[in-house]
Amino acid sequence: MDNEQCTKKPKLEKIRTITEGKAQILVTNERVFYNPVQEFNRDLSIAVLTVFQQNNYDKKILQKHNLEEGLKDSMTHDAQDQKKITILEALSATGLRSIRYAKEVEGVQQIVANDISAKAVESIRQNILHNGVENLVTPYHEDATLLMYQHRQKRFDAVDLDPYGCPSMYLDSAVQCVSDGGILLVTATDMAVLAGNVPETCYYKYGAISIKSKSCHEIALRILLQCIASHAGRYGRYIEPLLSVSVDFYIRVFVRIFTSHNKCKSNSSKIGMLYQCTGCESMQVQPLVIRKDVNSNSNNNYKLPSAPVIDQQCKYCQHQQHMGGPIWLGRLHDRDFVSQLLYNLSSMELGTSKRLEGVLTVIYEELDNVLYYNLDRLMSIVKCCVPPMLMFRSALLNAGYKVSYSHASKVSIKSDAPNNVIWDIVRAWEKEHPVRQKKLAENSPAIRILNTASTTNISFAMHDLANPISRQKHLSRFQQNPTVNWGPGVRSRTRVDLENAEESKKVRNQNKHSKKKSAAVDQQIIQQ
């Protein structure tokens, strides 16, 4: 274990530097992981921690949660007046994130920048000295899970997990080392797993089955949230999501952790299964548990739902159903918290502030309804031309329903309207722009949907609320990939199981088939 304070500054001769925000890191080891495309991730985390620190140990919040557990008298005056926060970055790599937290987040008491790689810790130590934050940031050399288990008593106010790939192996220890009312920041970059390409892999990593869907990015967020909630519930703790984002090639969630057995029970009603038709892709969710009375905390306040909520065959197109989950059915964001983020953005010097404003504004406008439809895909199913987005949104508003974008897709339709209303709007548009039904297969979803009678009066007249504020202001809502090879980068070579290897797997596998043939020929010659 290595947690000694730094004493010597590295020589800057011929050392490449990288500047991001107010921090500057030295690239003394090219094998230490650094991904410049994650600047938005780090900027967003700084904004979230800044607002969290301002609200830290807010008396109203603490009293609300502690009164439920009868702990009001146990709160000390010092705990109520505590304002500075402690942060753990469990997988620090270069230490850039921790250094930026120290320089750009006010009210930080201590930051522990940990990594399992000795080379990475040495890089962290040099960068801490170079940036002059040795009074706030402490380098630490330890296995991340072990370090978090060691802090189950002396907890951190904020724990940041930003691994390469899946974070699930760290969640059990992470939910235990976050203080009551603290915040957990988690990134997942294994989107192929979460988006339904390999559901069996998703199950053993996250405890849920993912399905292929146009709303796969929100499904990914909800799978990760239910995974965190599941780990927290084992220790009588529950989560409250502050912000959940799907951007670029990863998802990132910010959740507060509280302790309450009653709340853990109520969280069971926020977990459920997802059903999606294989033909028309209509979606339906079913909670695992139903609350009888939302305002009651009685032990007898829960019941099992009647199952299933759907028929074996879809009632819209008569195709089979796929089942996925369990997923998180609660809200993804705290609108008050998002509002505070937007209010404080102007006072922060962040490199991606324009994009942050756009994404957060869309999130603020986003409805709490579960999942969304893709407008292009809806019309593709019935082989019809795509209507203008504002016209489709107007039809929903004119029918008396709410509608919003999802921040995860620029062609998303998120609404509280039931599936039959969505298809009524599709049918109404098709009547104005007929398709050649003779060319459609007899049992296709398109034929069955278009030949079903509508039950809703549809008007495509432009509605005043159809054009959201974020669109009117031309904010940067859905950024295109700014560079080639935009992605999570190459896995760090400083992992403890890789840094001492004589040669990489890539090198070992070169010409492996020809080597096997040569070895077989040599073996035959020897036998002869």
Side-chain angles (χ1 to χ4, degrees):
M1 187 180 299
D2 186 358
N3 60 338
E4 297 178 358
Q5 293 291 334
C6 314
T7 56
K8 295 182 179 180
K9 287 191 176 183
K11 295 181 180 180
L12 298 183
E13 298 177 1
K14 298 181 180 180
I15 296 180
R16 186 166 67 93
T17 61
I18 297 174
T19 301
E20 183 180 293
K22 296 181 180 180
Q24 186 180 72
I25 62 171
L26 308 172
V27 186
T28 56
N29 186 349
E30 294 291 345
R31 299 174 74 182
V32 174
F33 186 79
Y34 166 72
N35 191 354
V37 303
Q38 289 269 38
E39 182 180 2
F40 178 83
N41 182 321
R42 290 182 280 268
D43 284 354
L44 179 60
S45 301
I46 288 169
V48 168
L49 285 177
T50 298
V51 175
F52 169 75
Q53 191 278 331
Q54 292 172 357
N55 298 336
N56 187 41
Y57 292 118
D58 182 278
K59 292 184 180 180
K60 292 182 180 179
I61 294 177
L62 276 181
Q63 286 177 1
K64 170 188 172 183
H65 293 281
N66 287 325
L67 279 173
E68 293 174 355
E69 294 298 300
L71 300 176
K72 182 178 180 181
D73 294 337
S74 66
M75 291 177 59
T76 64
H77 181 74
D78 291 337
Q80 289 182 349
D81 292 340
Q82 178 70 27
K83 293 183 178 180
K84 291 190 175 182
I85 61 174
T86 56
I87 303 173
L88 168 64
E89 187 189 2
L91 308 161
S92 195
T94 61
L96 172 61
R97 190 182 295 263
S98 292
I99 293 169
R100 290 197 63 189
Y101 288 166
K103 287 196 161 192
E104 300 178 47
V105 179
E106 295 183 1
V108 173
Q109 179 179 340
Q110 182 193 27
I111 301 173
V112 175
N114 176 73
D115 204 282
I116 196 172
S117 165
K119 292 180 180 178
V121 173
E122 180 59 30
S123 176
I124 294 169
R125 179 180 289 107
Q126 293 176 358
N127 289 324
I128 290 172
L129 276 175
H130 180 64
N131 287 272
V133 291
E134 56 269 24
N135 60 320
L136 290 177
V137 185
T138 303
Y140 218 84
H141 183 203
E142 184 59 272
D143 178 88
T145 53
L146 180 58
L147 177 61
M148 289 187 285
Y149 278 129
Q150 292 171 348
H151 282 79
R152 285 176 292 181
Q153 299 299 323
K154 188 179 179 181
R155 293 168 169 170
F156 296 96
D157 298 309
V159 174
D160 194 322
L161 296 175
D162 188 18
Y164 185 99
C166 176
S168 60
M169 68 182 72
Y170 307 105
L171 295 180
D172 186 77
S173 54
V175 296
Q176 297 183 69
C177 75
V178 179
S179 62
D180 203 32
I183 186 172
L184 179 62
L185 306 82
V186 184
T187 300
T189 62
D190 54 339
M191 292 304 295
V193 173
L194 288 165
N197 289 350
V198 276
E200 66 280 5
T201 303
C202 187
Y203 175 75
Y204 82 73
K205 286 188 174 183
Y206 293 95
I209 296 294
S210 58
I211 60 177
K212 286 189 175 181
S213 171
K214 287 298 181 180
S215 60
C216 61
H217 294 95
E218 183 174 325
I219 293 174
L221 285 170
R222 294 185 179 277
I223 287 177
L224 178 57
L225 286 173
Q226 75 80 26
C227 186
I228 298 173
S230 175
H231 282 283
R234 297 165 194 168
Y235 306 100
R237 315 196 80 186
Y238 68 97
I239 67 170
E240 286 190 355
L242 295 177
L243 181 66
S244 309
V245 296
S246 172
V247 292
D248 300 329
F249 51 84
Y250 62 89
I251 57 175
R252 177 83 159 163
V253 298
F254 305 82
V255 300
R256 295 193 75 173
I257 306 288
F258 293 98
T259 302
S260 170
H261 290 282
N262 284 334
K263 287 288 187 178
C264 285
K265 294 176 183 178
S266 67
N267 261 8
S268 63
S269 62
K270 298 177 183 178
I271 304 292
M273 304 304 293
L274 166 65
Y275 300 91
Q276 179 178 268
C277 172
T278 58
C280 66
E281 300 181 11
S282 296
M283 294 178 291
Q284 183 75 34
V285 295
Q286 180 178 25
L288 297 181
V289 175
I290 296 176
R291 296 187 68 178
K292 299 177 184 177
D293 183 0
V294 178
N295 298 319
S296 173
N297 290 323
S298 170
N299 290 331
N300 297 322
N301 191 35
Y302 303 92
K303 66 177 182 178
L304 295 177
S306 300
V309 294
I310 59 168
D311 297 327
Q312 188 174 2
Q313 291 184 327
C314 173
K315 63 180 180 181
Y316 304 110
C317 69
Q318 303 303 309
H319 279 64
Q320 298 294 318
Q321 305 273 5
H322 277 168
M323 182 177 69
I327 64 173
W328 176 260
L329 301 182
R331 59 177 174 80
L332 296 177
H333 323 287
D334 184 326
R335 292 187 81 247
D336 292 336
F337 187 83
V338 176
S339 177
Q340 286 182 284
L341 285 174
L342 287 168
Y343 179 80
N344 283 273
L345 270 183
S346 59
S347 61
M348 302 180 192
E349 298 178 7
L350 301 173
T352 60
S353 57
K354 289 186 177 180
R355 187 186 181 195
L356 279 170
E357 181 186 7
V359 172
L360 290 174
T361 302
V362 175
I363 288 175
Y364 183 78
E365 297 169 343
E366 191 173 313
L367 295 176
D368 289 333
N369 297 87
V370 180
L371 304 181
Y372 58 86
Y373 287 104
N374 181 295
L375 180 57
D376 292 354
R377 181 56 184 158
L378 284 175
M379 305 314 297
S380 173
I381 290 171
V382 297
K383 313 301 180 184
C384 186
C385 62
V386 181
M389 175 61 77
L390 297 188
M391 193 170 290
F392 199 96
R393 288 167 59 93
S394 294
L396 283 165
L397 292 167
N398 292 331
Y401 298 98
K402 298 177 182 178
V403 64
S404 76
Y405 283 98
S406 166
H407 73 280
S409 173
K410 64 180 179 181
V411 290
S412 56
I413 297 290
K414 182 181 273 280
S415 176
D416 59 349
N419 290 331
N420 63 289
V421 174
I422 299 291
W423 291 121
D424 282 347
I425 296 174
V426 171
R427 279 188 286 267
W429 179 258
E430 189 273 337
K431 287 182 179 180
E432 297 182 9
H433 304 80
V435 301
R436 296 182 179 180
Q437 295 195 19
K438 293 182 179 180
K439 292 188 175 182
L440 300 177
E442 183 178 353
N443 295 325
S444 67
I447 283 290
R448 288 171 172 166
I449 289 172
L450 295 178
N451 290 338
T452 301
S454 296
T455 58
T456 309
N457 293 324
I458 303 300
S459 170
F460 290 104
M462 191 60 63
H463 195 282
D464 293 338
L465 301 179
N467 194 10
I469 299 297
S470 59
R471 187 176 183 274
Q472 294 178 29
K473 291 184 176 181
H474 304 287
L475 299 179
S476 178
R477 302 177 300 162
F478 307 103
Q479 176 176 293
Q480 298 294 320
N481 293 349
T483 63
V484 296
N485 302 320
W486 183 262
V490 180
R491 183 186 291 272
S492 171
R493 292 289 301 151
T494 61
R495 282 172 46 207
V496 69
D497 58 337
L498 295 178
E499 61 183 357
N500 296 322
E502 294 182 0
E503 56 182 10
S504 68
K505 181 179 179 181
K506 181 179 179 181
V507 174
R508 293 197 307 271
N509 286 339
Q510 287 180 357
N511 303 317
K512 66 177 182 180
H513 295 297
S514 59
K515 289 177 182 178
K516 287 182 180 179
K517 291 180 180 179
S518 298
V521 171
D522 293 341
Q523 185 67 25
Q524 290 178 357
I525 294 174
I526 293 173
Q527 291 177 353
Q528 292 176 355

